[in-house]
Each structure stands twice: as structure tokens, then as C-alpha cells.
Amino acid sequence: MTVIKQKLTFANQDGITLSGLLESPENPTGYALFAHCFTCGKGLTSASQISRALVEQGIAVLRFDFTGLGGSDGDFANSNFSSNVADLLAAADYLSTNYQPPALLVGHSLGGTAVLVAALRLDYVKCVATIGAPAEPAHVLKQLGGKLDDIRGQGVATVQLAGRPFTIKKQFLDDVEQFQLQGQLRSLNKALLILHSPRDTTVSVDQAERLYTSARHPKSFISLDDADHLLSSKQDARYAANCIASWAERYMPAIVADVLPSEEPAKGEVIVTMREGDFLCDVRSVGHQWLSDEPLSVGGLNKGPTPYDQLLAALGTCTSMTLRMYARRKKLRLSRLVVRLTHSREHLEDCEDCLDGKNLADRIHREILIEGELSPEETERLEQIAELCPVHKTLLNHIDITTHLTKG
């Protein structure tokens, strides 16, 4: 399976640049957003394993570093739970603008609590999965131990977390203590999967019970048995990842166009059905299915060739087929054939002007590279044959297109 990995950056609400990694199959069926745990980063084992499992299920995943962590800019000391939620909303907005809205949110530890808060604000999210998540953001204060009094009294203190020093300010404490998540979960209106280990010593399993009790159905719980809080074992991380991927398949919206049996294309017929965004189309003929789209630069999702790309492809492939058939029939020693085509107009400009009848002139340049033991006469004849390919002749003919609009 081909996995496309893209390093990307986007700005949060404060203009701070965040670092992300988007992993995607060639034709994703949906998008997910992953939030890492407190003071961790997008490179955590659980993050990479969950992303890989979802990609194998056809779901693209964006994971990123919160403000001040990993490759993201900003000062961690000035961040808090509210800023983590804001970073998540910025990431969701980035996916919505450049690809499609994420239907699945996945969060680990405090990241799980954050995705629950974010999901309450994002109508397009259909399902949420949490791993080792506390029921309230204030639960994270237990990790600060004896430093709490120093932070409250002095306004700031350095705390050792996972073997690394972090500066925590009093504003962080005030921020997490203002949230009352459990009371809001009844209005979540999303499918919820809670994964937790009964041996988690960082966030006890009773936190999972509180989340489960507060939420409405559909909701599910999966025990991670011997796993530790960080899912540091790849086996544990992979198990959690596969559970999430299988569960999400039930709730992820199907974005592939549904063609009813009665609408299956007949021989010689092509059916084009709208998909997400402004341009993406599902194209079907007998026994075949593909996508057509526009590039990101003009508002498309770049998931398939443009209509004019497909027009050039039709001429190019027909040219190649015709020449090869002729060469075989005439026993010509044609060893290599490449057809390169260019079109002089942009498709969107045409659409904007098509109603007033302007800019209707087309120019297609076709360059044919041939190799083989061919005489000058044979080469000249192949050039003549190229002009006779069926698609070439069709494009030169007067074409009468009739349209009938029906309401479903």
C-alpha cells in the first residue's frame, strides 16, 4: 500500500506556526485528527501506530505538535489546555480548507480530553476516540505533585515530567480548573470510543468510567489490559490502533458516491456523481471507477486529474493505441512510443466565461516520440495515422451535445 507523507505547517489563532504530519493513502475515504498527550509530541509510538492503522483502513491522519512542543513554534510555558483546544480547532480548519473536514478525532491522555472539548464545537465530526484520557482537564494537576504550591505561590515553577523539565505557570492551573467537561458530554452527539488500561498509573481507569457514564450512546469501552499509560509497547499501541480503525469504520461517513444498482453504467455510458468539495467527482464506466478534481490552488482537493487532463488523456491514449495497432498490423519495428500533450487554456477560466460564449478557441499540441528501426516513409506514415485516431477525429468533428435535466 502506498502511503503519502506530507510535512506541513499551519498557524493557530495567535499566528503561531504549528508543525504537522499528514499521512494518507492514495485515495482516502475520510480524514482524522490526532492529539498527543501532555508534554508529548506527534512522534510518540501511539501516534505513529494509530496513524498507520487508520491509513491502512483508507483514512488520512493529521497529527501535529501543540504550541511550544516538538517542531511547533511558541513557548510551552504560555500555553494551556485552552490553547491546546484552539490548536486542535486550527488543525481541523486547516484540513477542512485544504482537504476535507475531519470526521474522526483521536486523543491520547490530556489530548483525549482536548478532542472531546473540540468535538463539542465541530458539527462535522462524527466520532471521537480517547486513550487513557482523564474525565476533567484538572486531573493533569496530579502530575505536578509537590510543585503545585510553588506554582500557586510564586506564579511559576519548573516541573520534571517524563524526565524533562517544563515551566508551568499559574495561568495553566487556573485554565484547567475552569473546565467542567463531564456535564457537557451528554450533548456530545458523536459516537464515542474510550480505551483505557486498568493498570494505568498516570490516569486511573475510574476516569474512563466517569467519561463513559457521562456520555450518551453510541459509546463503547475497550480495556487495554497490560498497557502502560503511554502505550510504549508497540504491540499495545498497535492493538489500540486496530481497535480504533475497526470501530471508526462504522461511523465514518461514506464519501464515495453511492451508485444504485439501477444506476450502474451501461456499455458506452459514463456516470459522473458529485463528491465532497466544490469539484471532486466520482466517474464510473462499465467495470471502472476513477476520480476527477481540480488542484488545491483553485479550491479543489487535488484527488484526481482535471476534466481537461482527462480530455488530453483520451486523445493521448487513443493516439498510442492506434499507432501501436497499425505498427503491429504492418509489422513495423516500433520499440518505444511516448505521446505528450498540452492544452492552452485553464479549465476554470473556461467555466467562468462559457455562458457568454467567449474564449472558446482551443489549441492542443501533441508531440509523439517514436523509437525503432523505421524508414523515413514508415515514420511519415505513422504521423499520418496519428491524425486518424478516433478521438482525434471526434474532437475535429462538429459535436452536437444534448442536455436533459431531471430532478431526483
Side-chain angles (χ1 to χ4, degrees):
M1 178 183 189
T2 301
V3 179
I4 303 169
K5 295 186 178 182
Q6 302 178 62
K7 292 182 179 180
L8 50 85
T9 58
F10 57 93
N12 67 8
Q13 65 175 6
D14 298 318
I16 295 172
T17 300
L18 305 181
S19 172
L21 176 66
L22 178 64
E23 295 179 273
S24 172
E26 288 187 285
N27 294 303
T29 58
Y31 283 78
L33 184 57
F34 182 92
H36 60 73
C37 55
F38 183 49
T39 73
C40 299
K42 64 179 181 292
L44 197 68
T45 299
S46 60
S48 60
Q49 291 293 325
I50 288 168
S51 295
R52 187 176 306 168
L54 290 173
V55 169
E56 289 173 358
Q57 293 286 339
I59 302 169
V61 184
L62 171 61
R63 45 190 164 112
F64 69 98
D65 296 322
F66 286 123
T67 298
L69 294 172
S72 292
D73 293 342
D75 185 356
F76 175 79
N78 293 327
S79 68
N80 50 41
F81 184 75
S82 292
S83 70
N84 286 354
V85 173
D87 288 351
L88 273 167
L89 296 177
D93 183 65
Y94 178 87
L95 281 178
S96 300
T97 301
N98 295 281
Y99 298 91
Q100 76 175 67
L104 167 65
L105 301 185
V106 182
H108 189 177
S109 190
L110 191 61
T113 315
V115 297
L116 287 170
V117 175
L120 288 165
R121 307 179 188 179
L122 298 173
D123 291 338
Y124 49 71
V125 170
K126 304 301 180 185
C127 47
V128 182
T130 66
I131 306 166
E136 296 291 354
H139 185 275
V140 73
L141 299 184
K142 291 186 176 182
Q143 297 186 43
L144 307 184
K147 291 289 184 177
L148 275 175
D149 290 339
D150 293 342
I151 298 171
R152 295 189 193 280
Q154 301 171 20
V156 63
T158 299
V159 181
Q160 291 290 326
L161 297 168
R164 293 183 296 157
F166 290 91
T167 300
I168 305 294
K169 294 183 178 180
K170 184 176 180 296
Q171 60 87 18
F172 180 89
L173 312 188
D174 297 337
D175 182 71
V176 295
E177 289 174 336
Q178 71 171 321
F179 283 89
Q180 300 296 323
L181 175 60
Q182 292 179 75
Q184 301 178 58
L185 283 182
R186 294 187 68 80
S187 61
L188 180 63
N189 197 30
K190 327 278 184 187
L192 175 62
L193 173 65
I194 301 168
L195 301 100
H196 214 112
S197 170
R199 301 193 181 190
D200 191 333
T201 57
T202 303
V203 179
S204 61
V205 73
D206 70 291
Q207 295 293 307
E209 183 181 1
R210 293 181 186 181
L211 286 176
Y212 188 88
T213 303
S214 301
R216 293 179 182 270
H217 285 291
K219 56 184 177 180
S220 304
F221 173 79
I222 293 178
S223 173
L224 297 179
D225 297 335
D226 297 332
D228 60 21
H229 180 68
L230 292 179
L231 299 185
S232 52
S233 164
K234 285 190 176 180
Q235 183 177 1
D236 291 332
R238 192 64 180 175
Y239 173 74
N242 289 334
C243 288
I244 293 171
S246 298
W247 167 83
E249 187 177 7
R250 174 186 292 267
Y251 301 105
M252 293 285 286
I255 66 169
V256 176
D258 294 323
V259 177
L260 300 176
S262 60
E263 296 176 325
E264 286 293 341
K267 183 177 180 180
E269 183 182 37
V270 170
I271 296 178
V272 179
T273 309
M274 66 179 287
R275 284 183 52 167
E276 71 274 14
D278 292 331
F279 302 110
L280 187 61
C281 298
D282 180 81
V283 187
R284 297 189 184 207
S285 62
V286 176
H288 299 283
Q289 179 179 359
W290 66 99
L291 298 175
S292 182
D293 202 355
E294 290 287 351
L296 296 175
S297 59
V298 296
L301 301 175
N302 200 33
K303 291 186 176 181
T306 70
Y308 275 133
D309 288 341
Q310 297 190 77
L311 177 66
L312 294 181
L315 176 59
T317 53
C318 187
T319 300
S320 177
M321 294 174 186
T322 301
L323 290 178
R324 287 150 54 200
M325 183 175 62
Y326 176 83
R328 185 183 71 251
R329 186 175 300 164
K330 297 297 183 181
K331 296 182 171 53
L332 303 183
R333 288 172 290 186
L334 178 65
S335 58
R336 184 166 181 250
L337 172 63
V338 178
V339 183
R340 185 187 301 270
L341 303 106
T342 56
H343 187 268
S344 62
R345 297 191 308 173
E346 292 294 329
H347 175 63
L348 286 183
E349 292 177 1
D350 291 349
C351 284
E352 291 166 0
D353 295 335
C354 62
L355 293 180
D356 59 17
K358 297 178 181 178
N359 295 332
L360 295 180
D362 288 87
R363 174 168 292 179
I364 295 176
H365 177 70
R366 178 174 53 188
E367 180 180 336
I368 304 173
L369 169 68
I370 57 173
E371 292 181 5
E373 298 179 24
L374 301 167
S375 67
E377 292 77 16
E378 290 171 335
T379 301
E380 181 180 0
R381 183 56 181 159
L382 284 174
E383 184 173 3
Q384 295 171 353
I385 294 298
E387 304 288 322
L388 300 177
C389 92
V391 172
H392 182 119
K393 294 167 67 176
T394 299
L395 291 173
L396 291 180
N397 286 341
H398 171 76
I399 303 175
D400 183 23
I401 300 176
T402 60
T403 301
H404 177 64
L405 183 66
T406 58
K407 291 186 66 176

